[in-house]
Amino acid sequence: MSDIVLQFENVAASYNGAIAALHGISLTLRAGEFAALLGANGAGKTTLLKAASNLLPAERGRITAGQILFRGQDVTRATPDDHIRKGLVPVLEGRRLFKSLTIEENLITGAVAKGRSRAAVAADLEKVYAIFPRLKDRRTSVAGLTSGGEQQMAAIGRGLMADPQVFLLDEPSMGLAPLVVAEIFEALSALNRTTGLTLLVAEQNSAIALRHAHHATVIENGRSVLDGPAADLAQRADIQASYLGGPTPLHPVRS
Amino acid sequence: MDWFAFLFFIEVTIGGLLSGVMYALVAIGFVLIYKTSGVLNFAQGAMVLFAALTFVSLTEQGLPFLAALAITAAVMALLGLTIERAVLRPLANRSPMTLFMATLGLAYVIEGAAQLIWGTAVHRLDLGISNEPFILGGIFISTFDLIAALIAGVMVAALTAFFRFTRTGLAFRAVADDQFAALAVGLRLDRIWAAVWTAAGVVALVAGLLWGARLGVQFALSLVVLKALPVLVLGGFDSVLGAIVAGLLIGATEKLAEVYIGPVFGGGIEGWFAYAVALIVLLVRPTGLFGQKLVERY
Protein backbone atom coordinates (compact mmCIF):
# COMPACT_ATOMS: atom_id res chain seq x y z
CA MET A 1 0.00 0.00 0.00
CA SER A 2 1.23 3.42 -0.82
CA ASP A 3 0.46 5.08 2.49
CA ILE A 4 2.88 2.85 4.43
CA VAL A 5 5.73 5.10 5.61
CA LEU A 6 7.69 2.78 7.84
CA GLN A 7 7.74 -0.98 7.68
CA PHE A 8 9.58 -3.40 9.93
CA GLU A 9 9.83 -6.86 8.34
CA ASN A 10 10.90 -9.66 10.68
CA VAL A 11 13.65 -7.51 12.13
CA ALA A 12 16.37 -9.19 14.19
CA ALA A 13 19.25 -7.24 15.68
CA SER A 14 22.22 -7.82 17.93
CA TYR A 15 24.92 -5.86 19.74
CA ASN A 16 28.64 -6.66 19.47
CA GLY A 17 27.73 -9.45 17.07
CA ALA A 18 26.75 -11.59 20.05
CA ILE A 19 24.03 -10.15 22.25
CA ALA A 20 20.73 -10.62 20.44
CA ALA A 21 18.16 -7.95 21.23
CA LEU A 22 15.47 -8.52 18.60
CA HIS A 23 14.29 -11.86 17.20
CA GLY A 24 11.85 -10.98 14.48
CA ILE A 25 9.59 -7.99 14.84
CA SER A 26 7.10 -6.92 12.21
CA LEU A 27 5.22 -3.66 12.34
CA THR A 28 3.65 -1.38 9.80
CA LEU A 29 3.26 2.34 10.26
CA ARG A 30 0.91 4.25 7.96
CA ALA A 31 0.96 7.95 7.17
CA GLY A 32 -0.95 10.02 9.69
CA GLU A 33 -1.15 7.19 12.22
CA PHE A 34 -0.48 7.44 15.94
CA ALA A 35 0.95 4.01 16.81
CA ALA A 36 2.12 2.68 20.15
CA LEU A 37 4.89 0.15 20.70
CA LEU A 38 4.28 -1.52 24.03
CA GLY A 39 6.37 -3.85 26.11
CA ALA A 40 8.17 -4.24 29.41
CA ASN A 41 11.78 -3.32 30.17
CA GLY A 42 14.17 -5.18 27.90
CA ALA A 43 11.48 -6.13 25.40
CA GLY A 44 13.42 -4.44 22.59
CA LYS A 45 11.50 -1.20 22.09
CA THR A 46 14.56 1.04 22.28
CA THR A 47 16.64 -1.17 19.99
CA LEU A 48 13.84 -1.25 17.43
CA LEU A 49 13.50 2.54 17.34
CA LYS A 50 17.27 3.05 17.16
CA ALA A 51 17.41 0.56 14.31
CA ALA A 52 14.82 2.56 12.37
CA SER A 53 17.04 5.69 12.47
CA ASN A 54 20.16 3.62 11.70
CA LEU A 55 21.63 4.52 15.08
CA LEU A 56 22.60 0.94 16.01
CA PRO A 57 26.08 1.00 14.41
CA ALA A 58 27.07 3.84 16.77
CA GLU A 59 26.47 1.42 19.65
CA ARG A 60 28.15 -1.49 17.88
CA GLY A 61 24.82 -3.05 17.01
CA ARG A 62 23.36 -4.06 13.67
CA ILE A 63 20.32 -5.54 12.01
CA THR A 64 21.07 -9.24 11.49
CA ALA A 65 17.93 -10.35 9.65
CA GLY A 66 14.86 -8.84 8.05
CA GLN A 67 14.75 -5.19 7.09
CA ILE A 68 13.29 -1.82 7.92
CA LEU A 69 11.94 0.25 5.07
CA PHE A 70 11.32 4.00 5.27
CA ARG A 71 9.25 5.00 2.26
CA GLY A 72 10.39 1.80 0.58
CA GLN A 73 14.11 2.40 1.19
CA ASP A 74 16.26 0.18 3.40
CA VAL A 75 17.11 2.40 6.39
CA THR A 76 20.63 0.98 6.79
CA ARG A 77 21.59 2.58 3.48
CA ALA A 78 21.29 6.13 4.79
CA THR A 79 23.00 7.93 7.68
CA PRO A 80 21.03 9.19 10.71
CA ASP A 81 21.27 12.78 9.46
CA ASP A 82 19.96 11.72 6.02
CA HIS A 83 16.92 10.21 7.72
CA ILE A 84 16.29 13.42 9.60
CA ARG A 85 16.48 15.47 6.42
CA LYS A 86 13.91 13.11 4.88
CA GLY A 87 11.62 13.60 7.88
CA LEU A 88 12.27 10.51 10.04
CA VAL A 89 13.15 12.03 13.41
CA PRO A 90 13.93 10.15 16.65
CA VAL A 91 13.53 11.36 20.24
CA LEU A 92 15.77 9.20 22.41
CA GLU A 93 14.91 7.46 25.63
CA GLY A 94 15.78 9.46 28.73
CA ARG A 95 15.59 12.86 26.98
CA ARG A 96 19.33 13.04 26.24
CA LEU A 97 19.37 16.85 26.14
CA PHE A 98 22.70 18.63 25.85
CA LYS A 99 22.88 19.38 29.54
CA SER A 100 25.35 22.26 29.46
CA LEU A 101 23.48 24.09 26.68
CA THR A 102 20.43 26.26 27.31
CA ILE A 103 16.94 25.05 26.43
CA GLU A 104 16.83 27.32 23.39
CA GLU A 105 20.27 26.19 22.21
CA ASN A 106 19.07 22.60 22.56
CA LEU A 107 16.07 23.37 20.39
CA ILE A 108 18.25 25.03 17.76
CA THR A 109 20.52 21.97 17.49
CA GLY A 110 17.45 20.14 16.19
CA ALA A 111 17.32 22.48 13.20
CA VAL A 112 21.03 22.27 12.31
CA ALA A 113 20.73 19.04 10.31
CA LYS A 114 18.22 20.64 7.96
CA GLY A 115 20.45 23.68 7.51
CA ARG A 116 17.55 26.13 7.66
CA SER A 117 17.83 29.90 7.63
CA ARG A 118 17.93 31.89 10.85
CA ALA A 119 14.49 33.34 10.13
CA ALA A 120 12.98 29.88 9.62
CA VAL A 121 14.59 28.67 12.86
CA ALA A 122 13.19 31.67 14.77
CA ALA A 123 9.70 30.97 13.40
CA ASP A 124 9.96 27.27 14.35
CA LEU A 125 11.11 28.19 17.84
CA GLU A 126 7.91 30.19 18.28
CA LYS A 127 5.87 27.18 17.12
CA VAL A 128 7.55 24.96 19.72
CA TYR A 129 6.99 27.59 22.42
CA ALA A 130 3.31 27.74 21.43
CA ILE A 131 3.03 23.97 21.99
CA PHE A 132 5.03 23.99 25.24
CA PRO A 133 4.70 27.48 26.77
CA ARG A 134 6.80 26.40 29.76
CA LEU A 135 9.84 26.12 27.54
CA LYS A 136 9.60 29.79 26.63
CA ASP A 137 9.96 30.75 30.29
CA ARG A 138 12.98 28.47 30.57
CA ARG A 139 14.60 29.32 27.23
CA THR A 140 17.79 30.70 28.77
CA SER A 141 18.07 28.06 31.52
CA VAL A 142 20.82 25.48 31.31
CA ALA A 143 19.02 22.29 30.27
CA GLY A 144 20.62 20.12 32.97
CA LEU A 145 19.04 22.30 35.65
CA THR A 146 15.45 22.12 34.40
CA SER A 147 12.83 19.64 35.62
CA GLY A 148 12.28 16.22 34.05
CA GLY A 149 9.05 17.37 32.41
CA GLU A 150 10.67 20.45 30.93
CA GLN A 151 13.53 18.32 29.66
CA GLN A 152 11.13 15.91 27.97
CA MET A 153 9.25 18.81 26.39
CA ALA A 154 12.55 20.25 25.17
CA ALA A 155 13.59 16.87 23.77
CA ILE A 156 10.32 16.67 21.84
CA GLY A 157 10.69 20.31 20.80
CA ARG A 158 14.21 19.61 19.57
CA GLY A 159 12.79 16.85 17.39
CA LEU A 160 10.01 19.13 16.11
CA MET A 161 12.63 21.71 15.06
CA ALA A 162 13.72 19.20 12.41
CA ASP A 163 10.21 19.39 10.94
CA PRO A 164 9.44 15.65 11.18
CA GLN A 165 6.97 13.70 9.09
CA VAL A 166 7.48 10.53 11.08
CA PHE A 167 8.30 11.02 14.73
CA LEU A 168 9.80 8.13 16.75
CA LEU A 169 9.54 8.69 20.49
CA ASP A 170 11.10 6.42 23.06
CA GLU A 171 9.29 6.45 26.42
CA PRO A 172 8.26 10.08 26.71
CA SER A 173 6.58 9.26 30.05
CA MET A 174 9.75 7.97 31.73
CA GLY A 175 10.02 9.15 35.32
CA LEU A 176 7.43 11.92 34.96
CA ALA A 177 4.41 12.85 37.06
CA PRO A 178 1.04 11.70 35.63
CA LEU A 179 -0.12 15.27 34.93
CA VAL A 180 3.01 16.05 32.94
CA VAL A 181 2.67 12.76 31.03
CA ALA A 182 -0.92 13.67 30.18
CA GLU A 183 0.16 17.13 28.99
CA ILE A 184 2.83 15.64 26.74
CA PHE A 185 0.48 13.04 25.22
CA GLU A 186 -2.21 15.70 24.65
CA ALA A 187 0.35 17.77 22.76
CA LEU A 188 1.42 14.78 20.65
CA SER A 189 -2.21 13.90 19.90
CA ALA A 190 -2.93 17.47 18.89
CA LEU A 191 0.06 17.50 16.53
CA ASN A 192 -1.10 14.23 15.02
CA ARG A 193 -4.63 15.59 14.46
CA THR A 194 -3.77 19.05 13.20
CA THR A 195 -0.61 18.48 11.17
CA GLY A 196 -0.97 14.82 10.24
CA LEU A 197 2.32 14.01 11.95
CA THR A 198 2.88 10.24 11.98
CA LEU A 199 3.86 8.96 15.42
CA LEU A 200 5.42 5.78 16.73
CA VAL A 201 5.67 5.96 20.50
CA ALA A 202 7.39 3.27 22.56
CA GLU A 203 5.89 3.11 26.04
CA GLN A 204 5.78 1.08 29.21
CA ASN A 205 2.87 3.17 30.38
CA SER A 206 0.34 1.25 28.28
CA ALA A 207 -2.71 2.96 29.77
CA ILE A 208 -1.83 6.43 28.52
CA ALA A 209 -0.41 5.15 25.23
CA LEU A 210 -3.53 3.11 24.42
CA ARG A 211 -5.77 6.06 25.30
CA HIS A 212 -4.14 8.24 22.62
CA ALA A 213 -2.90 5.81 19.97
CA HIS A 214 -4.91 4.40 17.06
CA HIS A 215 -2.94 1.25 16.73
CA ALA A 216 -0.67 -0.72 19.05
CA THR A 217 1.91 -3.47 18.80
CA VAL A 218 3.02 -5.40 21.86
CA ILE A 219 6.49 -6.88 21.90
CA GLU A 220 8.03 -9.30 24.34
CA ASN A 221 11.59 -10.65 24.49
CA GLY A 222 12.38 -9.16 21.09
CA ARG A 223 9.33 -10.62 19.31
CA SER A 224 6.05 -9.01 18.33
CA VAL A 225 3.30 -10.92 20.11
CA LEU A 226 0.16 -8.85 19.52
CA ASP A 227 -1.00 -6.23 17.14
CA GLY A 228 -4.30 -4.43 16.69
CA PRO A 229 -6.40 -1.30 17.13
CA ALA A 230 -5.54 0.43 20.40
CA ALA A 231 -9.18 0.45 21.52
CA ASP A 232 -9.40 -3.36 21.24
CA LEU A 233 -6.16 -3.91 23.12
CA ALA A 234 -7.24 -1.53 25.86
CA GLN A 235 -10.37 -3.66 26.44
CA ARG A 236 -8.57 -6.91 26.99
CA ALA A 237 -7.59 -7.34 30.60
CA ASP A 238 -5.59 -10.49 29.84
CA ILE A 239 -3.14 -8.46 27.76
CA GLN A 240 -2.61 -6.06 30.57
CA ALA A 241 -1.91 -8.94 32.91
CA SER A 242 0.38 -11.01 30.70
CA TYR A 243 2.40 -8.44 28.81
CA LEU A 244 2.11 -5.08 30.43
CA GLY A 245 2.56 -5.81 34.08
CA GLY A 246 -1.06 -6.17 35.06
CA PRO A 247 -3.19 -3.71 37.00
CA THR A 248 -1.38 -1.18 39.10
CA PRO A 249 -0.43 -2.76 42.43
CA LEU A 250 -1.36 -0.98 45.65
CA HIS A 251 2.27 -0.34 46.48
CA PRO A 252 4.04 0.21 43.20
CA VAL A 253 7.65 -0.88 43.26
CA ARG A 254 9.95 1.46 41.36
CA SER A 255 12.68 -0.17 39.39
CA MET B 1 60.62 43.71 51.36
CA ASP B 2 62.49 46.68 49.98
CA TRP B 3 61.47 48.42 46.79
CA PHE B 4 63.93 46.68 44.50
CA ALA B 5 63.03 43.26 45.82
CA PHE B 6 59.37 44.11 45.21
CA LEU B 7 60.06 45.25 41.64
CA PHE B 8 62.00 42.05 41.07
CA PHE B 9 59.07 40.01 42.37
CA ILE B 10 56.68 41.80 39.99
CA GLU B 11 59.09 41.29 37.12
CA VAL B 12 59.38 37.56 37.76
CA THR B 13 55.60 37.27 38.06
CA ILE B 14 54.97 39.10 34.79
CA GLY B 15 57.62 37.06 33.03
CA GLY B 16 55.99 33.91 34.40
CA LEU B 17 52.48 34.96 33.37
CA LEU B 18 53.64 35.72 29.84
CA SER B 19 55.35 32.36 29.46
CA GLY B 20 52.20 30.84 30.93
CA VAL B 21 50.29 32.19 27.95
CA MET B 22 52.66 30.20 25.75
CA TYR B 23 51.81 27.04 27.70
CA ALA B 24 48.12 27.77 27.39
CA LEU B 25 48.56 28.14 23.64
CA VAL B 26 49.70 24.53 23.35
CA ALA B 27 47.11 23.31 25.85
CA ILE B 28 44.23 24.82 23.86
CA GLY B 29 45.05 22.55 20.93
CA PHE B 30 44.53 19.57 23.24
CA VAL B 31 41.33 20.96 24.70
CA LEU B 32 39.67 21.48 21.31
CA ILE B 33 40.07 17.85 20.35
CA TYR B 34 39.46 16.37 23.79
CA LYS B 35 36.26 18.36 24.27
CA THR B 36 34.61 17.25 21.05
CA SER B 37 35.90 13.72 20.61
CA GLY B 38 37.24 12.58 23.98
CA VAL B 39 40.64 11.91 22.44
CA LEU B 40 43.76 13.08 24.25
CA ASN B 41 45.81 13.92 21.20
CA PHE B 42 49.39 13.24 22.19
CA ALA B 43 50.46 14.19 18.66
CA GLN B 44 49.67 17.85 19.31
CA GLY B 45 53.34 18.54 20.11
CA ALA B 46 54.45 16.83 16.92
CA MET B 47 51.96 19.00 15.03
CA VAL B 48 53.53 22.08 16.63
CA LEU B 49 56.95 20.94 15.43
CA PHE B 50 55.64 20.06 11.98
CA ALA B 51 54.04 23.50 11.59
CA ALA B 52 57.16 25.37 12.68
CA LEU B 53 59.44 23.28 10.47
CA THR B 54 57.22 23.69 7.44
CA PHE B 55 56.97 27.43 7.92
CA VAL B 56 60.68 27.98 8.50
CA SER B 57 61.68 25.82 5.55
CA LEU B 58 59.32 27.71 3.27
CA THR B 59 60.71 31.09 4.32
CA GLU B 60 64.26 29.78 3.89
CA GLN B 61 63.31 28.94 0.30
CA GLY B 62 62.68 32.65 -0.09
CA LEU B 63 58.91 32.77 0.26
CA PRO B 64 57.50 35.96 1.77
CA PHE B 65 56.13 35.76 5.31
CA LEU B 66 52.43 35.84 4.45
CA ALA B 67 52.69 33.31 1.62
CA ALA B 68 54.58 30.91 3.87
CA LEU B 69 51.99 31.44 6.60
CA ALA B 70 49.09 30.73 4.24
CA ILE B 71 50.73 27.61 2.81
CA THR B 72 51.62 26.29 6.26
CA ALA B 73 48.08 26.90 7.48
CA ALA B 74 46.76 24.95 4.51
CA VAL B 75 49.25 22.13 5.14
CA MET B 76 48.26 21.98 8.82
CA ALA B 77 44.56 21.92 7.97
CA LEU B 78 45.24 19.11 5.51
CA LEU B 79 47.29 17.23 8.09
CA GLY B 80 44.46 17.55 10.62
CA LEU B 81 41.90 16.33 8.09
CA THR B 82 44.09 13.40 7.09
CA ILE B 83 44.60 12.31 10.69
CA GLU B 84 40.89 12.44 11.38
CA ARG B 85 40.09 10.52 8.22
CA ALA B 86 42.87 7.94 8.21
CA VAL B 87 43.46 7.28 11.91
CA LEU B 88 40.54 8.34 14.07
CA ARG B 89 37.50 7.62 11.97
CA PRO B 90 38.39 3.93 11.54
CA LEU B 91 38.89 3.77 15.31
CA ALA B 92 35.59 5.45 16.21
CA ASN B 93 33.80 3.85 19.19
CA ARG B 94 37.03 2.27 20.46
CA SER B 95 38.21 2.72 24.03
CA PRO B 96 39.93 5.98 25.01
CA MET B 97 43.15 4.04 25.63
CA THR B 98 43.18 2.70 22.07
CA LEU B 99 42.72 6.22 20.74
CA PHE B 100 45.42 7.61 23.00
CA MET B 101 47.87 4.94 21.84
CA ALA B 102 46.99 5.75 18.24
CA THR B 103 47.85 9.41 18.76
CA LEU B 104 51.04 8.43 20.58
CA GLY B 105 52.11 6.44 17.54
CA LEU B 106 50.98 9.27 15.34
CA ALA B 107 53.26 11.67 17.22
CA TYR B 108 56.29 9.63 16.16
CA VAL B 109 55.10 9.30 12.57
CA ILE B 110 54.61 13.06 12.27
CA GLU B 111 57.96 13.86 13.93
CA GLY B 112 59.68 11.37 11.63
CA ALA B 113 57.91 12.72 8.56
CA ALA B 114 58.76 16.29 9.47
CA GLN B 115 62.46 15.47 9.77
CA LEU B 116 62.42 13.31 6.66
CA ILE B 117 60.96 16.15 4.62
CA TRP B 118 62.70 19.13 6.17
CA GLY B 119 65.87 17.67 7.72
CA THR B 120 67.09 17.62 11.29
CA ALA B 121 69.04 20.88 11.38
CA VAL B 122 68.11 23.52 13.93
CA HIS B 123 66.56 26.52 12.21
CA ARG B 124 66.38 30.07 13.40
CA LEU B 125 62.92 31.55 13.09
CA ASP B 126 62.62 35.32 12.99
CA LEU B 127 59.07 36.64 13.10
CA GLY B 128 60.31 40.20 12.98
CA ILE B 129 59.23 40.83 16.56
CA SER B 130 61.78 42.76 18.58
CA ASN B 131 63.51 40.83 21.32
CA GLU B 132 64.50 44.03 23.14
CA PRO B 133 62.85 44.26 26.54
CA PHE B 134 61.17 47.54 27.36
CA ILE B 135 61.09 49.12 30.75
CA LEU B 136 57.85 50.07 32.46
CA GLY B 137 58.11 51.75 35.86
CA GLY B 138 61.44 50.10 36.53
CA ILE B 139 60.27 46.65 35.39
CA PHE B 140 61.79 44.86 32.43
CA ILE B 141 59.19 43.27 30.18
CA SER B 142 60.00 41.12 27.17
CA THR B 143 58.46 42.68 24.05
CA PHE B 144 58.38 39.31 22.34
CA ASP B 145 56.51 37.62 25.18
CA LEU B 146 54.03 40.48 25.34
CA ILE B 147 53.27 40.33 21.62
CA ALA B 148 53.05 36.54 21.77
CA ALA B 149 50.53 36.90 24.58
CA LEU B 150 48.52 39.38 22.49
CA ILE B 151 48.46 37.00 19.52
CA ALA B 152 47.35 34.17 21.79
CA GLY B 153 44.67 36.45 23.25
CA VAL B 154 43.29 37.31 19.83
CA MET B 155 43.20 33.64 18.90
CA VAL B 156 41.36 32.70 22.08
CA ALA B 157 38.85 35.52 21.57
CA ALA B 158 38.22 34.33 18.03
CA LEU B 159 37.73 30.73 19.16
CA THR B 160 35.39 31.78 21.97
CA ALA B 161 33.28 33.91 19.63
CA PHE B 162 33.16 31.01 17.19
CA PHE B 163 31.89 28.60 19.85
CA ARG B 164 29.32 31.09 21.15
CA PHE B 165 27.85 32.66 18.07
CA THR B 166 28.01 30.25 15.14
CA ARG B 167 25.95 27.18 14.39
CA THR B 168 29.05 25.08 13.91
CA GLY B 169 30.17 26.27 17.34
CA LEU B 170 26.83 25.22 18.78
CA ALA B 171 27.22 21.82 17.11
CA PHE B 172 30.72 21.55 18.66
CA ARG B 173 29.34 22.16 22.11
CA ALA B 174 26.49 19.72 21.54
CA VAL B 175 28.88 16.97 20.45
CA ALA B 176 31.13 17.70 23.42
CA ASP B 177 28.12 17.30 25.71
CA ASP B 178 26.55 14.09 24.40
CA GLN B 179 27.96 12.41 21.33
CA PHE B 180 25.19 9.87 20.82
CA ALA B 181 22.44 12.45 21.25
CA ALA B 182 24.25 14.67 18.75
CA LEU B 183 24.23 11.82 16.25
CA ALA B 184 20.52 11.21 16.88
CA VAL B 185 19.76 14.91 16.38
CA GLY B 186 21.37 14.68 12.97
CA LEU B 187 24.66 16.47 13.59
CA ARG B 188 27.42 15.21 11.31
CA LEU B 189 30.07 13.95 13.72
CA ASP B 190 32.59 13.31 10.95
CA ARG B 191 32.35 16.90 9.72
CA ILE B 192 32.63 18.30 13.20
CA TRP B 193 35.69 16.20 13.97
CA ALA B 194 37.25 17.23 10.67
CA ALA B 195 36.65 20.89 11.57
CA VAL B 196 38.09 20.40 15.04
CA TRP B 197 41.26 18.73 13.75
CA THR B 198 41.67 21.52 11.24
CA ALA B 199 41.33 24.07 14.03
CA ALA B 200 43.83 22.13 16.16
CA GLY B 201 46.22 22.21 13.21
CA VAL B 202 45.94 25.98 12.99
CA VAL B 203 46.40 26.36 16.76
CA ALA B 204 49.51 24.19 16.42
CA LEU B 205 50.76 26.57 13.73
CA VAL B 206 50.40 29.63 15.96
CA ALA B 207 52.05 27.80 18.86
CA GLY B 208 54.77 26.47 16.57
CA LEU B 209 55.68 29.91 15.26
CA LEU B 210 55.80 31.56 18.67
CA TRP B 211 57.63 28.70 20.40
CA GLY B 212 59.89 28.25 17.38
CA ALA B 213 60.88 31.91 17.48
CA ARG B 214 61.63 31.56 21.17
CA LEU B 215 63.56 28.30 21.26
CA GLY B 216 64.65 27.83 17.67
CA VAL B 217 62.93 25.33 15.41
CA GLN B 218 64.24 21.93 16.39
CA PHE B 219 63.18 18.47 17.40
CA ALA B 220 62.78 19.44 21.06
CA LEU B 221 59.88 21.68 20.05
CA SER B 222 57.57 18.66 20.13
CA LEU B 223 58.37 18.35 23.83
CA VAL B 224 56.25 21.44 24.56
CA VAL B 225 53.47 18.89 25.14
CA LEU B 226 55.22 18.17 28.41
CA LYS B 227 54.65 21.80 29.36
CA ALA B 228 51.00 21.57 28.36
CA LEU B 229 50.11 18.44 30.35
CA PRO B 230 50.27 19.96 33.84
CA VAL B 231 48.30 22.93 32.49
CA LEU B 232 45.61 20.51 31.29
CA VAL B 233 45.51 18.65 34.59
CA LEU B 234 45.19 21.91 36.48
CA GLY B 235 42.67 23.59 34.19
CA GLY B 236 40.63 20.55 33.18
CA PHE B 237 40.98 18.81 29.84
CA ASP B 238 37.75 20.17 28.46
CA SER B 239 37.90 23.88 29.24
CA VAL B 240 39.48 26.54 27.04
CA LEU B 241 39.14 29.07 29.85
CA GLY B 242 40.69 26.53 32.22
CA ALA B 243 43.67 26.12 29.90
CA ILE B 244 44.30 29.86 29.95
CA VAL B 245 43.92 30.36 33.68
CA ALA B 246 45.96 27.26 34.45
CA GLY B 247 48.61 28.31 31.94
CA LEU B 248 48.96 31.66 33.68
CA LEU B 249 49.00 30.06 37.14
CA ILE B 250 51.60 27.50 36.21
CA GLY B 251 53.74 29.98 34.32
CA ALA B 252 53.81 32.36 37.30
CA THR B 253 54.25 29.79 40.09
CA GLU B 254 56.94 27.99 38.11
CA LYS B 255 59.04 31.11 37.72
CA LEU B 256 58.44 32.30 41.27
CA ALA B 257 59.30 28.88 42.64
CA GLU B 258 62.48 28.76 40.57
CA VAL B 259 63.58 32.13 41.90
CA TYR B 260 62.49 31.92 45.53
CA ILE B 261 62.35 28.22 46.43
CA GLY B 262 64.86 27.03 43.84
CA PRO B 263 68.00 27.88 45.84
CA VAL B 264 66.79 25.62 48.66
CA PHE B 265 66.88 22.64 46.27
CA GLY B 266 69.99 23.87 44.52
CA GLY B 267 68.00 25.24 41.56
CA GLY B 268 66.49 23.59 38.48
CA ILE B 269 63.02 23.06 39.88
CA GLU B 270 61.26 24.86 37.02
CA GLY B 271 61.11 21.64 35.02
CA TRP B 272 59.20 19.56 37.53
CA PHE B 273 57.47 22.11 39.71
CA ALA B 274 54.41 22.30 37.43
CA TYR B 275 53.97 18.55 37.74
CA ALA B 276 54.09 18.75 41.52
CA VAL B 277 51.36 21.40 41.42
CA ALA B 278 49.31 19.29 39.00
CA LEU B 279 49.65 16.26 41.25
CA ILE B 280 48.32 18.13 44.25
CA VAL B 281 45.40 19.46 42.21
CA LEU B 282 44.60 15.92 41.05
CA LEU B 283 44.26 14.84 44.67
CA VAL B 284 41.91 17.67 45.55
CA ARG B 285 40.00 18.24 42.31
CA PRO B 286 40.24 15.34 39.86
CA THR B 287 38.48 17.26 37.08
CA GLY B 288 40.78 20.27 37.39
CA LEU B 289 39.84 23.82 38.29
CA PHE B 290 37.45 24.28 35.37
CA GLY B 291 36.78 20.73 34.22
CA GLN B 292 33.23 19.90 33.37
CA LYS B 293 31.20 19.14 36.42
CA LEU B 294 28.00 17.31 35.65
CA VAL B 295 25.23 19.83 35.20
CA GLU B 296 22.38 17.90 36.69
CA ARG B 297 19.56 18.27 39.12
CA TYR B 298 19.02 15.77 41.84
Side-chain angles (χ1 to χ4, degrees), chain B residues 185-250:
Chain B
V185 164
L187 300 179
R188 299 274 312 259
L189 298 187
D190 49 354
R191 280 196 198 166
I192 289 167
W193 287 333
V196 143
W197 277 88
T198 309
V202 173
V203 172
L205 167 64
V206 176
L209 293 187
L210 295 176
W211 275 98
R214 225 180 180 212
L215 303 177
V217 177
Q218 51 173 325
F219 177 74
L221 208 54
S222 65
L223 298 178
V224 295
V225 283
L226 297 180
K227 285 291 183 192
L229 285 179
V231 171
L232 290 166
V233 171
L234 186 62
F237 282 82
D238 50 10
S239 165
V240 172
L241 178 70
I244 298 163
V245 175
L248 294 175
L249 266 174
I250 286 199

Side-chain angles (χ1 to χ4, degrees), chain A residues 154-205:
Chain A
I156 293 171
R158 184 172 64 178
L160 291 174
M161 292 295 289
D163 190 21
Q165 288 162 16
V166 179
F167 211 14
L168 308 173
L169 293 109
D170 198 353
E171 282 212 46
S173 77
M174 194 192 221
L176 300 181
L179 273 178
V180 179
V181 174
E183 186 182 345
I184 285 170
F185 270 85
E186 295 294 345
L188 291 174
S189 263
L191 276 167
N192 171 257
R193 280 194 310 274
T194 56
T195 67
L197 177 64
T198 308
L199 290 162
L200 177 58
V201 181
E203 261 303 342
Q204 281 193 72
N205 185 338

Side-chain angles (χ1 to χ4, degrees), chain A residues 50 55 57-60 81 84 90 92 96 98-101 105 108-109 112-113 116-118 121 142 144-145 147 158, chain B residues 93-95 164-167 170-171 173-175 177-188 292 294-297:
Chain A
K50 281 180 182 167
L55 286 168
E59 295 190 328
R60 294 187 227 182
D81 56 292
I84 287 175
L92 298 176
R96 295 297 280 266
F98 304 116
K99 293 192 175 70
S100 60
L101 272 56
E105 285 174 334
I108 294 170
T109 58
V112 171
R116 325 183 75 176
S117 71
R118 282 186 184 258
V121 169
V142 172
L145 300 177
S147 74
R158 184 172 64 178
Chain B
N93 291 330
R94 296 298 180 85
S95 77
R164 272 244 80 72
F165 301 114
T166 70
R167 264 193 210 182
L170 180 67
R173 286 187 288 142
V175 172
D177 197 305
D178 186 339
Q179 205 165 299
F180 187 74
L183 185 70
V185 164
L187 300 179
R188 299 274 312 259
Q292 198 165 42
L294 285 179
V295 183
E296 211 148 1
R297 239 159 85 142

Side-chain angles (χ1 to χ4, degrees), chain A residues 112-255:
Chain A
V112 171
K114 285 228 162 173
R116 325 183 75 176
S117 71
R118 282 186 184 258
V121 169
D124 284 358
L125 275 176
E126 286 311 316
K127 279 190 210 160
V128 171
Y129 291 145
I131 298 168
F132 299 118
R134 268 209 258 172
L135 293 183
K136 188 159 192 168
D137 303 331
R138 300 295 244 138
R139 63 201 291 176
T140 57
S141 305
V142 172
L145 300 177
T146 58
S147 74
E150 288 158 350
Q151 290 190 23
Q152 186 61 60
M153 289 173 193
I156 293 171
R158 184 172 64 178
L160 291 174
M161 292 295 289
D163 190 21
Q165 288 162 16
V166 179
F167 211 14
L168 308 173
L169 293 109
D170 198 353
E171 282 212 46
S173 77
M174 194 192 221
L176 300 181
L179 273 178
V180 179
V181 174
E183 186 182 345
I184 285 170
F185 270 85
E186 295 294 345
L188 291 174
S189 263
L191 276 167
N192 171 257
R193 280 194 310 274
T194 56
T195 67
L197 177 64
T198 308
L199 290 162
L200 177 58
V201 181
E203 261 303 342
Q204 281 193 72
N205 185 338
S206 56
I208 185 109
L210 289 174
R211 194 175 313 141
H212 290 272
H214 309 132
H215 191 97
T217 301
V218 181
I219 66 174
E220 189 188 41
N221 295 330
R223 286 185 180 80
S224 26
V225 290
L226 263 176
D227 190 271
D232 293 0
L233 265 68
Q235 296 292 313
R236 291 177 50 184
D238 58 322
I239 298 169
Q240 302 280 335
S242 25
Y243 299 115
L244 306 170
T248 315
L250 275 176
H251 302 288
V253 182
R254 293 205 61 183
S255 54

Side-chain angles (χ1 to χ4, degrees), chain B residues 41 43-52 76 79-80 83 110 197 200-201 204:
Chain B
N41 175 27
Q44 189 70 28
M47 286 166 73
V48 168
L49 170 71
F50 193 91
M76 290 315 291
L79 179 70
I83 294 172
I110 296 173
W197 277 88

Side-chain angles (χ1 to χ4, degrees), chain B residues 74-94:
Chain B
V75 169
M76 290 315 291
L78 195 69
L79 179 70
L81 282 175
T82 312
I83 294 172
E84 193 277 323
R85 189 90 209 201
V87 181
L88 289 152
R89 203 177 299 180
L91 292 177
N93 291 330
R94 296 298 180 85

